[in-house]
């Protein structure tokens, strides 16, 4: 976390120390352990709307995708995912839903987990947000994060460890999606991911209902992401118990989990 992000996080950290640290220490958790479990997240206000923003530099954090466990059972919720990781000795700092999925919870479009392609990229026309072209792909390749429009990605597909396709793109090479209107009236809770020029992955979820245009400008103008991707709307979820954020919708499809390296 850079100095600016740290300073922005101080009010949230002060509140956490006051409210949560005594309980953690009382439960036998050392202060160092408690601090290590805190996610790299902060509250952010942009144009009178409130957001929770979490930044993860792939050099210092492991960003991974999850859908099923080793036995083939669906995780279904961020709470279940965190519990499963705890059982293996890993502390998930935060988790967020990783895009859209079918009624059977299978990913819509490209999904790659641990280097294995589970479902292929979805191209062509369709209905709904996913098919609002251009849509895009968030991926991890060789320890680096990226967001690219789907057609661009497929022209030069990298070897990836993880990838998830969603849509629409929010920001494409510094420009807002061409179909977003400044006077748009569709307002929803939204979450998405962008990647800054320095390679840091930036996840954001709105606490207030916002339009696509407002959400895209958050990534471009406030968070400094030249490329950003919408993940989902009404079921947007972020689970970070270290700061008391416990969105826990049931029957989620693919999810993103973030861990310290």
């Amino acid at each position: 976390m850079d100095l600016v992000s740290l300073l922005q996080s101080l009010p949230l950290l002060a509140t956490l120390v006051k409210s949560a640290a005594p309980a953690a220490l009382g439960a036998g958790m050392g202060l160092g352990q408690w601090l290590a479990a805190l996610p790299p997240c902060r509250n952010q206000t942009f144009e009178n709307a409130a957001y929770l923003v979490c930044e993860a530099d792939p050099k210092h954090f492991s960003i991974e995708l999850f859908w099923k466990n080793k036995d083939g059972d669906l995780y279904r919720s961020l709470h279940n995912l965190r519990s499963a990781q705890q059982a293996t000795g890993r502390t998930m700092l935060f988790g967020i839903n990783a895009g859209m999925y079918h009624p059977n919870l299978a990913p819509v479009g490209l999904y790659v987990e641990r280097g294995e392609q589970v479902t292929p990229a979805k191209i062509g026309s369709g209905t709904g947000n996913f098919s609002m072209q251009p849509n895009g792909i968030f991926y991890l390749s060789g320890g680096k994060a990226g967001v690219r429009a789907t057609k661009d990605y497929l022209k030069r597909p990298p070897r990836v460890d993880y990838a998830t396709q969603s849509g629409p793109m929010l920001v494409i090479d510094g420009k807002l999606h061409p179909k977003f209107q400044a006077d748009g009236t569709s307002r929803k809770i939204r979450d998405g991911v962008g990647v800054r020029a320095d390679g840091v992955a930036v996840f954001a979820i709105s606490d207030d209902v916002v339009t696509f245009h407002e959400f895209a400008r958050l990534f471009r103008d406030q968070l400094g992401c030249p490329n950003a991707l919408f993940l989902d709307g009404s079921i947007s979820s972020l689970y970070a118990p270290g700061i008391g954020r416990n969105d826990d919708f049931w029957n989620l499809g693919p999810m993103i989990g973030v861990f310290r390296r």
Side-chain angles (χ1 to χ4, degrees), residues 20-31:
L25 296 173
M29 181 185 291
L31 182 59

Side-chain angles (χ1 to χ4, degrees), residues 74-250:
L74 295 162
Y75 285 107
R76 295 185 179 273
S77 76
L78 292 165
H79 176 86
N80 285 349
L81 174 59
R82 180 174 181 269
S83 296
Q85 297 305 303
Q86 277 187 315
T88 65
R90 306 182 78 201
T91 298
M92 189 174 83
L93 301 177
F94 71 90
I96 192 168
N97 53 298
M100 299 170 194
Y101 48 91
H102 296 289
N104 66 354
L105 308 188
V108 176
L110 180 69
Y111 182 78
V112 178
E113 186 175 319
R114 297 185 183 278
E116 179 181 348
Q117 180 176 298
V118 178
T119 53
K122 186 175 185 291
I123 58 175
S125 61
T127 59
N129 291 330
F130 183 94
S131 297
M132 188 188 298
Q133 300 298 330
N135 60 19
I137 294 167
F138 170 64
Y139 62 94
L140 284 305
S141 174
K144 297 181 179 180
V147 170
R148 284 163 60 183
T150 299
K151 289 184 179 179
D152 178 57
Y153 178 97
L154 293 177
K155 286 178 183 177
R156 298 175 287 111
R159 294 188 63 179
V160 298
D161 302 300
Y162 298 94
T164 182
Q165 184 180 5
S166 190
M169 287 286 287
L170 297 169
V171 187
I172 310 118
D173 295 330
K175 297 181 180 179
L176 302 188
H177 193 290
K179 294 185 179 178
F180 295 166
Q181 300 296 321
D183 58 354
T185 58
S186 175
R187 310 185 72 86
K188 294 183 179 181
I189 300 295
R190 304 183 190 274
D191 71 327
V193 59
V195 177
R196 294 199 316 237
D198 62 2
V200 172
V202 184
F203 301 88
I205 184 168
S206 66
D207 291 325
D208 299 313
V209 292
V210 294
T211 66
F212 268 132
H213 199 277
E214 291 166 343
F215 196 44
R217 283 189 285 107
L218 167 79
F219 276 97
R220 185 189 66 178
D221 302 339
Q222 184 75 16
L223 302 179
C225 297
N227 289 282
L229 177 67
F230 176 66
L231 291 175
D232 219 328
S234 299
I235 57 88
S236 296
S237 310
L238 193 145
Y239 190 76
I243 57 171
R245 180 71 180 237
N246 297 313
D247 299 350
D248 197 25
F249 286 101
W250 185 251

